[in-house]
mmCIF file of all heavy atoms in Angstrom:
data_model
loop_
_atom_site.group_PDB
_atom_site.id
_atom_site.type_symbol
_atom_site.label_atom_id
_atom_site.label_comp_id
_atom_site.label_asym_id
_atom_site.label_seq_id
_atom_site.Cartn_x
_atom_site.Cartn_y
_atom_site.Cartn_z
ATOM 1 N N ALA B 468 6.329 -119.450 -5.395
ATOM 2 C CA ALA B 468 6.576 -120.893 -5.349
ATOM 3 C C ALA B 468 7.155 -121.324 -6.696
ATOM 4 O O ALA B 468 6.755 -120.779 -7.738
ATOM 5 C CB ALA B 468 5.270 -121.634 -5.085
ATOM 6 N N CYS B 469 8.081 -122.277 -6.672
ATOM 7 C CA CYS B 469 8.735 -122.700 -7.920
ATOM 8 C C CYS B 469 7.720 -123.157 -8.976
ATOM 9 O O CYS B 469 7.860 -122.839 -10.161
ATOM 10 C CB CYS B 469 9.754 -123.818 -7.654
ATOM 11 S SG CYS B 469 11.136 -123.256 -6.629
ATOM 12 N N ASP B 470 6.687 -123.839 -8.544
ATOM 13 C CA ASP B 470 5.645 -124.286 -9.487
ATOM 14 C C ASP B 470 4.971 -123.106 -10.182
ATOM 15 O O ASP B 470 4.520 -123.223 -11.321
ATOM 16 C CB ASP B 470 4.575 -125.108 -8.760
ATOM 17 C CG ASP B 470 5.080 -126.514 -8.455
ATOM 18 O OD1 ASP B 470 6.131 -126.898 -9.011
ATOM 19 O OD2 ASP B 470 4.424 -127.213 -7.659
ATOM 20 N N ASP B 471 4.881 -121.982 -9.478
ATOM 21 C CA ASP B 471 4.264 -120.790 -10.081
ATOM 22 C C ASP B 471 5.098 -120.297 -11.255
ATOM 23 O O ASP B 471 4.542 -119.856 -12.266
ATOM 24 C CB ASP B 471 4.104 -119.673 -9.039
ATOM 25 C CG ASP B 471 2.975 -119.959 -8.052
ATOM 26 O OD1 ASP B 471 2.330 -121.036 -8.179
ATOM 27 O OD2 ASP B 471 2.724 -119.128 -7.167
ATOM 28 N N TYR B 472 6.433 -120.346 -11.109
ATOM 29 C CA TYR B 472 7.298 -119.936 -12.226
ATOM 30 C C TYR B 472 7.064 -120.833 -13.431
ATOM 31 O O TYR B 472 6.982 -120.365 -14.567
ATOM 32 C CB TYR B 472 8.778 -119.973 -11.832
ATOM 33 C CG TYR B 472 9.165 -118.863 -10.890
ATOM 34 C CD1 TYR B 472 9.490 -119.127 -9.560
ATOM 35 C CD2 TYR B 472 9.200 -117.542 -11.314
ATOM 36 C CE1 TYR B 472 9.831 -118.109 -8.687
ATOM 37 C CE2 TYR B 472 9.530 -116.515 -10.453
ATOM 38 C CZ TYR B 472 9.847 -116.803 -9.145
ATOM 39 O OH TYR B 472 10.173 -115.785 -8.280
ATOM 40 N N TRP B 473 6.960 -122.130 -13.163
ATOM 41 C CA TRP B 473 6.740 -123.057 -14.266
ATOM 42 C C TRP B 473 5.387 -122.830 -14.915
ATOM 43 O O TRP B 473 5.281 -122.804 -16.149
ATOM 44 C CB TRP B 473 6.873 -124.514 -13.792
ATOM 45 C CG TRP B 473 6.833 -125.460 -14.949
ATOM 46 C CD1 TRP B 473 5.827 -126.313 -15.289
ATOM 47 C CD2 TRP B 473 7.849 -125.610 -15.958
ATOM 48 N NE1 TRP B 473 6.150 -126.995 -16.438
ATOM 49 C CE2 TRP B 473 7.373 -126.585 -16.875
ATOM 50 C CE3 TRP B 473 9.102 -125.017 -16.175
ATOM 51 C CZ2 TRP B 473 8.119 -126.976 -17.989
ATOM 52 C CZ3 TRP B 473 9.834 -125.414 -17.285
ATOM 53 C CH2 TRP B 473 9.340 -126.384 -18.178
ATOM 54 N N SER B 474 4.352 -122.622 -14.133
ATOM 55 C CA SER B 474 3.028 -122.415 -14.725
ATOM 56 C C SER B 474 2.969 -121.080 -15.481
ATOM 57 O O SER B 474 2.306 -120.984 -16.514
ATOM 58 C CB SER B 474 1.913 -122.530 -13.686
ATOM 59 O OG SER B 474 2.012 -121.510 -12.721
ATOM 60 N N GLU B 475 3.703 -120.082 -15.011
ATOM 61 C CA GLU B 475 3.767 -118.816 -15.763
ATOM 62 C C GLU B 475 4.471 -119.039 -17.103
ATOM 63 O O GLU B 475 4.059 -118.486 -18.125
ATOM 64 C CB GLU B 475 4.528 -117.735 -14.971
ATOM 65 C CG GLU B 475 3.770 -117.179 -13.787
ATOM 66 C CD GLU B 475 2.661 -116.192 -14.160
ATOM 67 O OE1 GLU B 475 2.413 -115.971 -15.366
ATOM 68 O OE2 GLU B 475 2.053 -115.637 -13.228
ATOM 69 N N PHE B 476 5.540 -119.860 -17.073
ATOM 70 C CA PHE B 476 6.255 -120.165 -18.318
ATOM 71 C C PHE B 476 5.336 -120.864 -19.317
ATOM 72 O O PHE B 476 5.243 -120.464 -20.474
ATOM 73 C CB PHE B 476 7.481 -121.023 -18.010
ATOM 74 C CG PHE B 476 8.193 -121.530 -19.239
ATOM 75 C CD1 PHE B 476 8.817 -120.643 -20.107
ATOM 76 C CD2 PHE B 476 8.230 -122.890 -19.537
ATOM 77 C CE1 PHE B 476 9.472 -121.099 -21.252
ATOM 78 C CE2 PHE B 476 8.884 -123.356 -20.680
ATOM 79 C CZ PHE B 476 9.505 -122.458 -21.541
ATOM 80 N N ARG B 477 4.630 -121.877 -18.843
ATOM 81 C CA ARG B 477 3.719 -122.622 -19.725
ATOM 82 C C ARG B 477 2.606 -121.711 -20.254
ATOM 83 O O ARG B 477 2.241 -121.761 -21.419
ATOM 84 C CB ARG B 477 3.086 -123.806 -18.962
ATOM 85 C CG ARG B 477 4.066 -124.840 -18.467
ATOM 86 C CD ARG B 477 4.744 -125.614 -19.551
ATOM 87 N NE ARG B 477 3.785 -126.298 -20.405
ATOM 88 C CZ ARG B 477 4.033 -126.687 -21.655
ATOM 89 N NH1 ARG B 477 5.204 -126.444 -22.207
ATOM 90 N NH2 ARG B 477 3.122 -127.322 -22.360
ATOM 91 N N HIS B 478 2.104 -120.884 -19.373
ATOM 92 C CA HIS B 478 1.038 -119.955 -19.751
ATOM 93 C C HIS B 478 1.550 -118.965 -20.796
ATOM 94 O O HIS B 478 0.870 -118.658 -21.784
ATOM 95 C CB HIS B 478 0.534 -119.222 -18.506
ATOM 96 C CG HIS B 478 -0.530 -118.216 -18.785
ATOM 97 N ND1 HIS B 478 -1.796 -118.563 -19.215
ATOM 98 C CD2 HIS B 478 -0.522 -116.862 -18.706
ATOM 99 C CE1 HIS B 478 -2.518 -117.472 -19.385
ATOM 100 N NE2 HIS B 478 -1.779 -116.419 -19.077
ATOM 101 N N CYS B 479 2.778 -118.474 -20.584
ATOM 102 C CA CYS B 479 3.380 -117.501 -21.498
ATOM 103 C C CYS B 479 3.543 -118.094 -22.902
ATOM 104 O O CYS B 479 3.289 -117.419 -23.900
ATOM 105 C CB CYS B 479 4.736 -117.060 -20.940
ATOM 106 S SG CYS B 479 5.578 -115.806 -21.917
ATOM 107 N N LYS B 480 3.938 -119.364 -22.946
ATOM 108 C CA LYS B 480 4.205 -120.015 -24.238
ATOM 109 C C LYS B 480 2.929 -120.469 -24.955
ATOM 110 O O LYS B 480 2.984 -120.842 -26.108
ATOM 111 C CB LYS B 480 5.082 -121.267 -24.040
ATOM 112 C CG LYS B 480 6.454 -121.020 -23.485
ATOM 113 C CD LYS B 480 7.436 -120.481 -24.473
ATOM 114 C CE LYS B 480 7.980 -121.545 -25.409
ATOM 115 N NZ LYS B 480 8.859 -120.919 -26.431
ATOM 116 N N SER B 481 1.818 -120.462 -24.256
ATOM 117 C CA SER B 481 0.589 -121.025 -24.843
ATOM 118 C C SER B 481 0.167 -120.235 -26.081
ATOM 119 O O SER B 481 0.439 -119.030 -26.200
ATOM 120 C CB SER B 481 -0.536 -121.034 -23.813
ATOM 121 O OG SER B 481 -0.951 -119.710 -23.553
ATOM 122 N N LEU B 482 -0.534 -120.927 -26.955
ATOM 123 C CA LEU B 482 -0.998 -120.307 -28.213
ATOM 124 C C LEU B 482 -1.898 -119.116 -27.907
ATOM 125 O O LEU B 482 -1.784 -118.044 -28.512
ATOM 126 C CB LEU B 482 -1.769 -121.355 -29.013
ATOM 127 C CG LEU B 482 -2.012 -121.037 -30.485
ATOM 128 C CD1 LEU B 482 -0.699 -120.838 -31.214
ATOM 129 C CD2 LEU B 482 -2.800 -122.181 -31.137
ATOM 130 N N LYS B 483 -2.773 -119.321 -26.937
ATOM 131 C CA LYS B 483 -3.707 -118.256 -26.565
ATOM 132 C C LYS B 483 -2.955 -116.998 -26.127
ATOM 133 O O LYS B 483 -3.274 -115.887 -26.558
ATOM 134 C CB LYS B 483 -4.575 -118.737 -25.398
ATOM 135 C CG LYS B 483 -6.050 -118.599 -25.653
ATOM 136 C CD LYS B 483 -6.841 -118.958 -24.425
ATOM 137 C CE LYS B 483 -8.325 -119.042 -24.752
ATOM 138 N NZ LYS B 483 -9.138 -119.345 -23.579
ATOM 139 N N ASN B 484 -1.941 -117.188 -25.276
ATOM 140 C CA ASN B 484 -1.210 -116.023 -24.792
ATOM 141 C C ASN B 484 -0.424 -115.350 -25.906
ATOM 142 O O ASN B 484 -0.355 -114.118 -25.962
ATOM 143 C CB ASN B 484 -0.270 -116.396 -23.647
ATOM 144 C CG ASN B 484 0.405 -115.169 -23.059
ATOM 145 O OD1 ASN B 484 -0.255 -114.294 -22.511
ATOM 146 N ND2 ASN B 484 1.712 -115.074 -23.188
ATOM 147 N N CYS B 485 0.162 -116.158 -26.798
ATOM 148 C CA CYS B 485 0.881 -115.584 -27.942
ATOM 149 C C CYS B 485 -0.065 -114.726 -28.776
ATOM 150 O O CYS B 485 0.290 -113.627 -29.223
ATOM 151 C CB CYS B 485 1.496 -116.679 -28.809
ATOM 152 S SG CYS B 485 2.894 -117.465 -28.016
ATOM 153 N N PHE B 486 -1.271 -115.251 -28.950
ATOM 154 C CA PHE B 486 -2.273 -114.505 -29.709
ATOM 155 C C PHE B 486 -2.614 -113.191 -29.009
ATOM 156 O O PHE B 486 -2.628 -112.125 -29.619
ATOM 157 C CB PHE B 486 -3.528 -115.362 -29.892
ATOM 158 C CG PHE B 486 -4.635 -114.648 -30.593
ATOM 159 C CD1 PHE B 486 -4.648 -114.539 -31.975
ATOM 160 C CD2 PHE B 486 -5.649 -114.029 -29.863
ATOM 161 C CE1 PHE B 486 -5.656 -113.848 -32.622
ATOM 162 C CE2 PHE B 486 -6.665 -113.342 -30.505
ATOM 163 C CZ PHE B 486 -6.674 -113.243 -31.888
ATOM 164 N N HIS B 487 -2.899 -113.274 -27.699
ATOM 165 C CA HIS B 487 -3.265 -112.071 -26.935
ATOM 166 C C HIS B 487 -2.141 -111.040 -26.951
ATOM 167 O O HIS B 487 -2.387 -109.836 -27.015
ATOM 168 C CB HIS B 487 -3.588 -112.441 -25.483
ATOM 169 C CG HIS B 487 -4.912 -113.097 -25.315
ATOM 170 N ND1 HIS B 487 -6.062 -112.590 -25.857
ATOM 171 C CD2 HIS B 487 -5.271 -114.214 -24.651
ATOM 172 C CE1 HIS B 487 -7.090 -113.381 -25.545
ATOM 173 N NE2 HIS B 487 -6.633 -114.365 -24.808
ATOM 174 N N HIS B 488 -0.898 -111.530 -26.880
ATOM 175 C CA HIS B 488 0.248 -110.627 -26.866
ATOM 176 C C HIS B 488 0.346 -109.891 -28.193
ATOM 177 O O HIS B 488 0.579 -108.679 -28.246
ATOM 178 C CB HIS B 488 1.533 -111.394 -26.574
ATOM 179 C CG HIS B 488 2.656 -110.540 -26.080
ATOM 180 N ND1 HIS B 488 3.526 -109.885 -26.933
ATOM 181 C CD2 HIS B 488 3.040 -110.200 -24.828
ATOM 182 C CE1 HIS B 488 4.399 -109.193 -26.216
ATOM 183 N NE2 HIS B 488 4.129 -109.366 -24.935
ATOM 184 N N TYR B 489 0.153 -110.614 -29.286
ATOM 185 C CA TYR B 489 0.198 -110.009 -30.627
ATOM 186 C C TYR B 489 -0.945 -109.006 -30.787
ATOM 187 O O TYR B 489 -0.755 -107.909 -31.322
ATOM 188 C CB TYR B 489 0.088 -111.099 -31.700
ATOM 189 C CG TYR B 489 0.232 -110.578 -33.106
ATOM 190 C CD1 TYR B 489 1.491 -110.269 -33.624
ATOM 191 C CD2 TYR B 489 -0.883 -110.387 -33.931
ATOM 192 C CE1 TYR B 489 1.628 -109.776 -34.918
ATOM 193 C CE2 TYR B 489 -0.754 -109.899 -35.220
ATOM 194 C CZ TYR B 489 0.500 -109.599 -35.705
ATOM 195 O OH TYR B 489 0.641 -109.105 -36.980
ATOM 196 N N TYR B 490 -2.099 -109.373 -30.286
ATOM 197 C CA TYR B 490 -3.290 -108.513 -30.342
ATOM 198 C C TYR B 490 -3.054 -107.210 -29.565
ATOM 199 O O TYR B 490 -3.547 -106.148 -29.934
ATOM 200 C CB TYR B 490 -4.478 -109.287 -29.775
ATOM 201 C CG TYR B 490 -5.766 -108.524 -29.676
ATOM 202 C CD1 TYR B 490 -6.528 -108.250 -30.809
ATOM 203 C CD2 TYR B 490 -6.243 -108.088 -28.446
ATOM 204 C CE1 TYR B 490 -7.728 -107.552 -30.709
ATOM 205 C CE2 TYR B 490 -7.436 -107.395 -28.341
ATOM 206 C CZ TYR B 490 -8.179 -107.136 -29.476
ATOM 207 O OH TYR B 490 -9.359 -106.446 -29.378
ATOM 208 N N THR B 491 -2.260 -107.300 -28.469
ATOM 209 C CA THR B 491 -2.012 -106.124 -27.634
ATOM 210 C C THR B 491 -0.799 -105.320 -28.084
ATOM 211 O O THR B 491 -0.859 -104.100 -28.185
ATOM 212 C CB THR B 491 -1.812 -106.543 -26.166
ATOM 213 O OG1 THR B 491 -2.913 -107.348 -25.774
ATOM 214 C CG2 THR B 491 -1.724 -105.339 -25.249
ATOM 215 N N TYR B 492 0.326 -106.004 -28.329
ATOM 216 C CA TYR B 492 1.594 -105.322 -28.568
ATOM 217 C C TYR B 492 2.134 -105.469 -29.981
ATOM 218 O O TYR B 492 3.108 -104.814 -30.346
ATOM 219 C CB TYR B 492 2.655 -105.827 -27.575
ATOM 220 C CG TYR B 492 2.290 -105.577 -26.128
ATOM 221 C CD1 TYR B 492 1.893 -106.632 -25.306
ATOM 222 C CD2 TYR B 492 2.308 -104.295 -25.587
ATOM 223 C CE1 TYR B 492 1.541 -106.415 -23.980
ATOM 224 C CE2 TYR B 492 1.962 -104.063 -24.261
ATOM 225 C CZ TYR B 492 1.580 -105.123 -23.467
ATOM 226 O OH TYR B 492 1.232 -104.904 -22.155
ATOM 227 N N GLY B 493 1.541 -106.343 -30.769
ATOM 228 C CA GLY B 493 2.006 -106.513 -32.140
ATOM 229 C C GLY B 493 3.259 -107.350 -32.257
ATOM 230 O O GLY B 493 3.882 -107.410 -33.320
ATOM 231 N N THR B 494 3.650 -108.003 -31.137
ATOM 232 C CA THR B 494 4.847 -108.851 -31.162
ATOM 233 C C THR B 494 4.556 -110.151 -30.441
ATOM 234 O O THR B 494 3.508 -110.289 -29.796
ATOM 235 C CB THR B 494 6.031 -108.175 -30.424
ATOM 236 O OG1 THR B 494 5.619 -107.914 -29.070
ATOM 237 C CG2 THR B 494 6.447 -106.873 -31.089
ATOM 238 N N SER B 495 5.498 -111.092 -30.519
ATOM 239 C CA SER B 495 5.313 -112.324 -29.740
ATOM 240 C C SER B 495 5.961 -112.143 -28.372
ATOM 241 O O SER B 495 6.922 -111.374 -28.224
ATOM 242 C CB SER B 495 5.882 -113.538 -30.473
ATOM 243 O OG SER B 495 7.141 -113.241 -30.982
ATOM 244 N N PRO B 496 5.434 -112.837 -27.352
ATOM 245 C CA PRO B 496 5.931 -112.632 -25.997
ATOM 246 C C PRO B 496 7.309 -113.258 -25.795
ATOM 247 O O PRO B 496 7.693 -114.189 -26.498
ATOM 248 C CB PRO B 496 4.899 -113.345 -25.128
ATOM 249 C CG PRO B 496 4.332 -114.392 -25.994
ATOM 250 C CD PRO B 496 4.362 -113.859 -27.396
ATOM 251 N N SER B 497 8.017 -112.731 -24.806
ATOM 252 C CA SER B 497 9.322 -113.277 -24.449
ATOM 253 C C SER B 497 9.153 -114.051 -23.147
ATOM 254 O O SER B 497 8.788 -113.474 -22.124
ATOM 255 C CB SER B 497 10.290 -112.099 -24.298
ATOM 256 O OG SER B 497 11.354 -112.454 -23.507
ATOM 257 N N CYS B 498 9.358 -115.344 -23.204
ATOM 258 C CA CYS B 498 9.003 -116.201 -22.068
ATOM 259 C C CYS B 498 10.194 -116.832 -21.364
ATOM 260 O O CYS B 498 10.042 -117.451 -20.304
ATOM 261 C CB CYS B 498 8.080 -117.337 -22.541
ATOM 262 S SG CYS B 498 6.591 -116.739 -23.364
ATOM 263 N N GLN B 499 11.376 -116.676 -21.939
ATOM 264 C CA GLN B 499 12.555 -117.389 -21.447
ATOM 265 C C GLN B 499 12.864 -117.096 -19.978
ATOM 266 O O GLN B 499 13.319 -117.982 -19.235
ATOM 267 C CB GLN B 499 13.770 -117.017 -22.327
ATOM 268 C CG GLN B 499 14.920 -117.979 -22.267
ATOM 269 C CD GLN B 499 14.513 -119.425 -22.522
ATOM 270 O OE1 GLN B 499 13.544 -119.695 -23.243
ATOM 271 N NE2 GLN B 499 15.214 -120.346 -21.920
ATOM 272 N N GLN B 500 12.622 -115.843 -19.581
ATOM 273 C CA GLN B 500 12.961 -115.454 -18.207
ATOM 274 C C GLN B 500 12.220 -116.279 -17.177
ATOM 275 O O GLN B 500 12.761 -116.644 -16.124
ATOM 276 C CB GLN B 500 12.677 -113.965 -17.990
ATOM 277 C CG GLN B 500 13.251 -113.407 -16.695
ATOM 278 C CD GLN B 500 14.746 -113.580 -16.607
ATOM 279 O OE1 GLN B 500 15.486 -113.260 -17.534
ATOM 280 N NE2 GLN B 500 15.212 -114.115 -15.484
ATOM 281 N N TRP B 501 10.952 -116.648 -17.463
ATOM 282 C CA TRP B 501 10.189 -117.488 -16.523
ATOM 283 C C TRP B 501 10.863 -118.837 -16.341
ATOM 284 O O TRP B 501 10.940 -119.379 -15.236
ATOM 285 C CB TRP B 501 8.760 -117.701 -17.020
ATOM 286 C CG TRP B 501 7.881 -116.493 -16.970
ATOM 287 C CD1 TRP B 501 7.310 -115.843 -18.022
ATOM 288 C CD2 TRP B 501 7.430 -115.797 -15.789
ATOM 289 N NE1 TRP B 501 6.553 -114.790 -17.584
ATOM 290 C CE2 TRP B 501 6.606 -114.733 -16.226
ATOM 291 C CE3 TRP B 501 7.638 -115.958 -14.420
ATOM 292 C CZ2 TRP B 501 5.988 -113.848 -15.340
ATOM 293 C CZ3 TRP B 501 7.027 -115.074 -13.535
ATOM 294 C CH2 TRP B 501 6.215 -114.030 -14.003
ATOM 295 N N LYS B 502 11.381 -119.374 -17.447
ATOM 296 C CA LYS B 502 12.026 -120.700 -17.390
ATOM 297 C C LYS B 502 13.305 -120.617 -16.551
ATOM 298 O O LYS B 502 13.565 -121.482 -15.709
ATOM 299 C CB LYS B 502 12.347 -121.158 -18.812
ATOM 300 C CG LYS B 502 12.693 -122.633 -18.920
ATOM 301 C CD LYS B 502 12.893 -123.028 -20.371
ATOM 302 C CE LYS B 502 13.155 -124.525 -20.487
ATOM 303 N NZ LYS B 502 13.507 -124.898 -21.867
ATOM 304 N N GLU B 503 14.082 -119.543 -16.774
ATOM 305 C CA GLU B 503 15.306 -119.347 -15.990
ATOM 306 C C GLU B 503 14.983 -119.188 -14.512
ATOM 307 O O GLU B 503 15.671 -119.746 -13.647
ATOM 308 C CB GLU B 503 16.046 -118.094 -16.457
ATOM 309 C CG GLU B 503 16.934 -118.331 -17.640
ATOM 310 C CD GLU B 503 17.697 -117.074 -18.047
ATOM 311 O OE1 GLU B 503 18.192 -116.367 -17.148
ATOM 312 O OE2 GLU B 503 17.772 -116.816 -19.264
ATOM 313 N N ASP B 504 13.941 -118.424 -14.253
ATOM 314 C CA ASP B 504 13.534 -118.211 -12.857
ATOM 315 C C ASP B 504 13.137 -119.535 -12.208
ATOM 316 O O ASP B 504 13.460 -119.781 -11.044
ATOM 317 C CB ASP B 504 12.353 -117.234 -12.785
ATOM 318 C CG ASP B 504 12.755 -115.813 -13.137
ATOM 319 O OD1 ASP B 504 13.971 -115.526 -13.167
ATOM 320 O OD2 ASP B 504 11.855 -114.991 -13.390
ATOM 321 N N PHE B 505 12.443 -120.373 -12.957
ATOM 322 C CA PHE B 505 12.053 -121.675 -12.426
ATOM 323 C C PHE B 505 13.305 -122.490 -12.064
ATOM 324 O O PHE B 505 13.376 -123.062 -10.965
ATOM 325 C CB PHE B 505 11.198 -122.439 -13.443
ATOM 326 C CG PHE B 505 10.960 -123.882 -13.067
ATOM 327 C CD1 PHE B 505 10.105 -124.200 -12.011
ATOM 328 C CD2 PHE B 505 11.609 -124.915 -13.736
ATOM 329 C CE1 PHE B 505 9.900 -125.531 -11.642
ATOM 330 C CE2 PHE B 505 11.409 -126.241 -13.381
ATOM 331 C CZ PHE B 505 10.549 -126.549 -12.323
#
Side-chain angles (χ1 to χ4, degrees):
Chain B
C469 295
D470 284 347
D471 286 1
Y472 288 110
W473 188 252
S474 64
E475 287 284 4
F476 173 65
R477 298 293 302 157
H478 178 68
C479 182
K480 297 283 282 175
S481 70
L482 196 59
K483 233 186 189 182
N484 185 63
C485 288
F486 177 81
H487 285 311
H488 200 274
Y489 184 78
Y490 176 75
T491 307
Y492 299 107
T494 58
S495 46
S497 158
C498 304
Q499 200 52 29
Q500 192 58 49
W501 290 116
K502 194 176 183 187
E503 276 182 42
D504 290 346
F505 170 72

